[in-house]
Amino acid sequence: MRTLPAAQAIRQAAATAGRLCGRWSREPRALDVLTALSAFALMSLDVPGLAEADNSLNGPLAVLALAAGASSLLMRRRVPWLTYAIALLYLSWLHELTLAQFALYSLGRYRGRLAGALGVVGYVAFAYVMFNLPGWPVHRGDTLGEFSSLVVPIGVLAAGVGVAANRQDLVRALEAQRTETDTLHAVQKERTRIARDVHDFVGRELTLLSVRSQVLARRAEGGPFEDDFDELSETARSAHRMLNEIIVQRGTDGAPTPGLAALPELAERSGHAGSPVDLLIDGAAYRLSPLRQAAVHRVVQECLTNAAKHAPGERVSVRVALKDDRLKITVSNPLPTKPPHSTPISAGTGTTGMAERIRAVGGTFTAGPKAATYEVKATLSAGELS
């Protein structure tokens, strides 16, 4: 077994730990556990005071009491008002302000601005009542001014941060919804383009079939197959009419997607734009049906566009291979060593459109970084060759 150098092993371990921490930090339950542990750690600083001044609890009992209070933060997403009520209980029993900060933040974060404001008012009023009762500790404010300068900012700041986080959550939710809408729009747009290509390509073949059947019917006039050719011609016209009725929405440009013959021109334009292209197409691929050629053109076109946006100046490799009745499209380019000078403008739906185009003809599609390159792979059946 080959032993990795120590430095490389450390880098791999650090990368693995980073990935696990990143994945763990996105889990809500994990964040709740981390929040509860943080609150418990901060409240534990008060254990000596709880055992000596604020309350008659001894050290172990104080730790258990604080742990029980901190555990209520595990419910802060579903029932933040319950966490808030427990925080007020601890405020009256142990004069503990830390748990109240977390509870007010949770109110603002998960119930919004109104709940945060009500929580602050209730917290300040409750704390003021406790301040006026015997037993309020001096280190929590001996005079009303000291009390106000300690209690009020804590509550307002905690709730304000929670409300701000709530706004950020709403913004992220709206952005996610917009992205999903854009993706669905891209899928629908691509389906429309596919429908247009099907209409153009298949409709043309049906028209030729109808015309050819009419010619054969005239040639067989008076013969035993005259009626059969007429019936075949009528069937082709009927199929064409059905195609027109089914595909009612067509592209505005009215032109079908180009095929493999247009790829050299596409590669040349990409080279002029600063992204040179190594284009290799199997000769047999030119015998593919127009619909499959259109799918290949769509994938290559989008890949070159993405390469120009995200890896300007890098050489792009395009390979279209036909082997064992399977068509394979591979487009790759090196990942840029440094980010572009300006952030590329992208709707983020190009990959979705490519995948929809390939899957519409029964193929598979993958895209993503691989080692030091970004690679797009599409595989589909070659179908009948002309």
Side-chain angles (χ1 to χ4, degrees):
M1 179 178 178
R2 183 172 176 269
T3 304
L4 293 174
Q8 185 176 358
I10 292 174
R11 284 195 299 270
Q12 289 183 353
T16 302
R19 287 193 299 269
L20 290 176
C21 289
R23 186 183 308 169
W24 190 72
S25 64
R26 291 190 293 269
E27 293 293 331
R29 297 301 300 170
L31 289 176
D32 290 343
V33 171
L34 182 61
T35 300
L37 291 176
S38 300
F40 174 70
L42 292 174
M43 289 191 295
S44 295
L45 300 176
D46 280 344
V47 169
L50 296 178
E52 295 177 5
D54 292 357
N55 198 280
S56 60
L57 293 175
N58 59 32
L61 286 178
V63 171
L64 290 176
L66 295 180
S71 64
S72 68
L73 292 172
L74 298 176
M75 302 177 290
R76 66 195 186 108
R77 295 175 189 269
R78 292 175 296 173
V79 282
W81 284 109
L82 176 60
T83 303
Y84 174 76
I86 294 175
L88 294 185
L89 173 63
Y90 272 64
L91 177 63
S92 64
W93 177 30
L94 302 177
H95 309 115
E96 179 54 60
L97 300 179
T98 303
L99 185 59
Q101 297 177 57
F102 283 86
L104 288 170
Y105 169 84
S106 300
L107 270 181
R109 176 73 183 273
Y110 302 112
R111 290 298 181 268
R113 183 173 58 183
L114 179 59
L118 292 175
V120 170
V121 172
Y123 157 74
V124 173
F126 186 82
Y128 179 72
V129 171
M130 298 306 303
F131 169 76
N132 287 288
L133 293 178
W136 182 264
V138 175
H139 67 276
R140 297 299 190 192
D142 189 22
T143 66
L144 181 60
E146 292 177 352
F147 165 81
S148 300
S149 63
L150 174 67
V151 172
V152 176
I154 284 177
V156 173
L157 181 61
V161 173
V163 171
N166 177 264
R167 293 292 181 88
Q168 290 295 324
D169 290 342
L170 293 177
V171 170
R172 282 192 290 267
L174 289 174
E175 289 178 348
Q177 186 177 13
R178 184 178 64 182
T179 300
E180 183 181 0
T181 301
D182 290 342
T183 300
L184 293 175
H185 177 71
V187 170
Q188 184 59 41
K189 185 177 179 180
E190 189 61 31
R191 287 176 178 175
T192 299
R193 294 180 62 177
I194 294 170
R196 184 197 66 211
D197 289 344
V198 170
H199 181 281
D200 292 339
F201 292 129
V202 179
R204 180 185 61 188
E205 298 301 321
L206 289 174
T207 299
L208 292 177
L209 176 61
S210 177
V211 172
R212 183 60 177 166
S213 299
Q214 290 176 356
V215 172
L216 293 175
R218 285 196 296 269
R219 290 181 180 178
E221 188 174 355
F225 301 109
E226 178 183 2
D227 293 340
D228 294 333
F229 285 124
D230 285 335
E231 183 179 354
L232 180 60
S233 177
E234 180 58 33
T235 301
R237 285 196 297 271
S238 176
H240 200 177
R241 285 194 299 270
M242 292 175 61
L243 189 65
N244 286 334
E245 292 174 359
I246 294 173
I247 307 176
V248 294
Q249 185 178 3
R250 301 184 60 191
T252 56
D253 56 3
T257 303
L260 297 183
L263 290 184
E265 180 183 356
L266 200 64
E268 184 179 357
R269 290 203 305 267
S270 179
H272 291 327
S275 297
V277 179
D278 293 330
L279 180 63
L280 184 59
I281 306 175
D282 284 356
Y286 288 95
R287 298 167 54 199
L288 291 167
S289 68
L291 195 60
R292 281 173 170 76
Q293 290 196 35
V296 175
H297 185 279
R298 173 77 172 95
V299 170
V300 174
Q301 181 184 43
E302 187 62 35
C303 287
L304 295 182
T305 301
N306 288 342
K309 287 181 181 178
H310 303 286
E314 300 291 347
R315 181 171 291 274
V316 184
S317 173
V318 179
R319 178 78 167 92
V320 181
L322 186 62
K323 183 179 180 182
D324 298 332
D325 297 329
R326 301 296 295 176
L327 176 67
K328 295 183 179 180
I329 311 161
T330 306
V331 184
S332 61
N333 60 268
L335 294 172
T337 56
K338 55 183 180 180
H341 296 295
S342 59
T343 303
I345 300 174
S346 175
T349 57
T351 302
T352 302
M354 286 190 288
E356 182 69 20
R357 170 73 68 160
I358 292 299
R359 289 165 184 157
V361 289
T364 60
F365 179 89
T366 58
K370 183 179 181 181
T373 64
Y374 189 89
E375 187 175 76
V376 174
K377 281 188 175 182
T379 305
L380 60 151
S381 171
E384 296 184 3
L385 302 179
S386 59

